[in-house]
Amino acid sequence: MAKTVFEKIIDRELPSKILFEDEKCIVIEDIAPKAPVHVLVIPKKPIKMLSKATADDQELLGHLMMIAKQISEKLNVQDAFNIVINNGAEAGQTVFHLHIHLLAGRDFSDLFPT
Ligand code: AMP
């Protein structure tokens, strides 16, 4: 299987602005930001999409969420951010390596009108 762009970034075959890295994940700035803050939390394990995750991935998925929380604090947006996971091409997924979008500084409330 060809490497995804995120595997290439993890393997330092492609440049990226890396904000955080540990043994399980990497956090990078999105190359085409959709909000003033737009970073991606990416597991090193190349899970294709959330719907392909298994019970074995439970701890990893929790870890990614906790890292998203920590990064929101580091970027000082902890009081107002959105988390998005696009799952599948029809839902807008373009890179088939699971990732969490952390977005802030833009009003997305029109997507979820109250
Ligand atoms: P998705 O559409 O949910 O699969 O999101 C993929 C995201 O990856 C998009 O927001 C892209 O802008 C971003 N992206 C694609 N290539 C790169 C790259 N080389 N470095 C950083 N972000 C990227």
Side-chain angles (χ1 to χ4, degrees):
M1 274 284 280
K3 284 185 180 181
T4 65
V5 65
F6 294 157
E7 283 175 278
K8 289 181 184 168
I9 288 171
I10 290 163
D11 292 342
R12 303 301 198 273
E13 292 168 10
L14 272 182
S16 182
K17 183 90 189 288
I18 297 170
L19 301 184
F20 174 85
E21 180 170 21
D22 66 13
E23 71 285 2
K24 291 180 184 152
C25 71
I26 192 165
V27 180
I28 64 169
E29 286 187 354
D30 197 290
I31 202 168
K34 280 75 177 178
V37 171
H38 187 177
V39 304
L40 305 171
V41 183
I42 306 166
K44 291 187 174 174
K45 179 179 178 183
I47 300 166
K48 205 171 165 192
M49 57 182 89
L50 184 58
S51 59
K52 302 290 185 194
T54 69
D56 287 347
D57 299 316
Q58 182 162 331
E59 190 193 333
L60 175 60
L61 295 177
H63 181 74
L64 299 177
M65 291 302 260
M66 291 306 289
I67 294 298
K69 172 195 136 99
Q70 286 171 27
I71 295 294
S72 78
E73 290 162 357
K74 187 171 166 182
L75 298 176
N76 205 27
V77 297
Q78 67 272 17
D79 294 330
F81 65 85
N82 296 85
I83 290 288
V84 173
I85 297 176
N86 296 322
N87 187 91
E90 286 183 37
Q93 186 175 3
T94 57
V95 179
F96 290 88
H97 181 140
L98 174 67
H99 51 283
I100 296 174
H101 296 259
L102 167 58
L103 302 131
R106 181 179 149 188
D107 184 7
F108 289 100
S109 59
D110 56 324
L111 294 175
F112 304 100
T114 49

